[in-house]
Amino acid sequence: MPISKDDPLRRREFARGVTDILPAMPGAVAWGVVTGVAMVKSGLALSWALAMSITAYAGSAQLAVLPLLKDASPLWLIGVTALITNLRFVIYSAAIRGWFTDYTRLRRVWLGYLSGDFVIVTFLNRVACEGTFVHRDAYFFGMCITNWVLWNVASIVGIVGAAYIPTQWGLEFAGVLALLALVVPLCRERPALAGETSAAVVAVLGHAWPLRLGMIAAIMIGITVAMLVDARQRAARASPQARS
Amino acid sequence: MDNYSPFEMILAIALIVVSTFVTRSALLVIGERVKFAPRVEAALRYAPVCALAALVAPEILLDAAGLAVSLDNPRLPAALAASLFLLWKRSIVGCIAVGMTVFALWRVFVTGS
């Protein structure tokens, strides 16, 4: 994704992407370190851990396959588990795809690959507030590349320093807090709050389901509940007398 | 890991890489050809919130033994304090700092772990 030097507007969008994503990065860094440590502690050789971390670029999928690798599970199970752990990105990319149809296919492939939870939510927040803007790809890429670099540096630190980084500190909780910081501001509307709450309940109830299917059920039910509350709210606004 | 030959390890990693590409890029690439019903399109607005909630809730509410809703779970007061701080100041860095501080202090002074 070349950032042409003769277009200051493009560079400014790239820079804004970098600054917009930075506040969430302490969470991504903590998570990267913990993922790196977990890979080595599970018995993965240093070189495999490094290779997986840099190419797979999917923290939750990497953590999900670690116990499978340890148990010498068949490769198809590893592939299916990684796919299902990543399924939330199908829903994310469905939500953002309309903003990227102007760009070349190759560019979309890389922007998709480099995206992550923090990037998608920050992007959707901006277009929800400001509507469309030019050089969305540069803005998105600025966020992605910052996330990618910091995540990989953190993972490598975790992998190489696994012996010296205590796991009982609960460092990964910083990653949870960073995601929490993205969720809380989104829940001021009632449909979002209802969807979020039901997704949380289903995710907790279904956490032990095989292949992380509880997570998918949670997202589906959360979206459905949010839609129902949204529809009711609209109906109530349209005819205040006919409230049920 | 000696469970796999080097070739199988490369295959395993390749499968994870493929899943990353397929889930994140496929819909972006065929974006203009996929048309959803307006209702589904509207529903996608709520997808990130629900996905994040589904990701975060088990991390806060569960531990190795299962549901952990008690004062022995330092992540509950920490998440609560972090959320309140966020609603007040809207700073992500502050939210992480407040949450981690409460988390650490709670473990030292309350649960003693």
Side-chain angles (χ1 to χ4, degrees):
Chain A
M1 234 67 51
I3 305 297
S4 66
K5 290 214 163 75
D6 48 359
D7 191 346
L9 196 60
R10 204 171 160 73
R11 263 193 299 173
R12 202 154 50 184
E13 283 302 338
F14 175 83
R16 176 156 175 205
V18 175
T19 36
D20 276 7
I21 200 70
L22 274 181
M25 287 301 98
V29 166
W31 217 337
V33 171
V34 171
T35 307
V37 172
M39 286 196 289
V40 174
K41 292 253 159 95
S42 82
L44 211 58
L46 202 76
S47 49
W48 291 126
L50 285 172
M52 190 195 286
S53 193
I54 292 168
T55 58
Y57 191 49
S60 48
Q62 284 163 235
L63 290 177
V65 301
L66 283 183
L68 300 177
L69 289 171
K70 206 171 181 172
D71 294 347
S73 307
L75 291 180
W76 67 263
L77 187 60
I78 290 166
V80 170
T81 304
L83 202 62
I84 293 179
T85 314
N86 273 325
L87 264 188
R88 67 180 187 283
F89 286 101
V90 175
I91 302 174
Y92 287 162
S93 55
I96 63 165
R97 76 188 197 290
W99 302 99
F100 292 93
T101 46
D102 297 345
Y103 305 115
T104 63
R105 294 240 148 78
L106 185 66
R107 188 164 296 198
R108 284 184 254 167
V109 169
W110 286 109
L111 288 179
Y113 171 75
L114 290 170
S115 69
D117 295 280
F118 299 118
V119 171
I120 303 270
V121 174
T122 313
F123 180 82
L124 282 172
N125 281 349
R126 179 169 173 195
V127 290
C129 291
E130 300 177 15
T132 189
F133 57 94
V134 286
H135 302 312
R136 295 183 295 279
D137 56 337
Y139 175 68
F140 199 83
F141 183 65
M143 293 198 286
C144 287
I145 203 67
T146 311
N147 196 25
W148 189 87
V149 168
L150 290 177
W151 160 266
N152 274 311
V153 168
S155 302
I156 292 169
V157 167
I159 290 167
V160 175
Y164 311 99
I165 298 167
T167 44
Q168 70 272 23
W169 282 359
L171 209 55
E172 70 277 9
F173 191 59
V176 176
L177 288 168
L179 289 178
L180 188 71
L182 296 179
V183 188
V184 172
L186 293 174
C187 72
R188 276 167 308 166
E189 289 174 77
R190 210 176 326 153
L193 182 61
E196 215 173 80
T197 313
S198 24
V201 170
V202 176
V204 167
L205 293 177
H207 76 281
W209 295 357
L211 294 173
R212 303 196 127 223
L213 286 172
M215 170 93 190
I216 301 306
I219 299 175
M220 291 306 184
I221 291 174
I223 293 176
T224 312
V225 169
M227 281 306 288
L228 290 175
V229 173
D230 189 315
R232 266 188 71 154
Q233 220 173 37
R234 270 165 220 249
R237 254 189 232 130
S239 58
Q241 278 84 25
R243 291 192 66 165
S244 55
Chain B
M1 204 159 305
D2 303 324
N3 294 333
Y4 302 94
S5 68
F7 175 71
E8 287 174 318
M9 269 316 284
I10 291 173
L11 216 56
I13 293 175
L15 283 172
I16 307 173
V17 175
V18 167
S19 81
T20 303
F21 268 110
V22 168
T23 53
R24 294 178 205 209
S25 301
L27 269 182
L28 281 186
V29 172
I30 55 167
E32 56 273 72
R33 287 195 223 154
V34 195
K35 290 270 187 292
F36 293 126
R39 285 182 67 97
V40 176
E41 208 65 62
L44 286 174
R45 202 154 59 89
Y46 296 110
V49 201
C50 297
L52 288 176
L55 211 54
V56 167
E59 297 283 346
I60 295 172
L61 297 172
L62 299 172
D63 61 18
L67 198 61
V69 183
S70 76
L71 292 178
D72 290 335
N73 177 359
R75 283 161 294 153
L76 281 181
L80 186 67
S83 305
L84 290 176
F85 182 84
L86 196 72
L87 290 174
W88 177 44
K89 280 289 185 204
R90 320 227 54 199
S91 147
I92 300 180
V93 176
C95 165
I96 298 174
V98 167
M100 286 310 275
T101 309
V102 172
F103 180 65
L105 292 177
W106 197 275
R107 289 176 66 178
V108 172
F109 293 109
V110 183
T111 58
S113 61

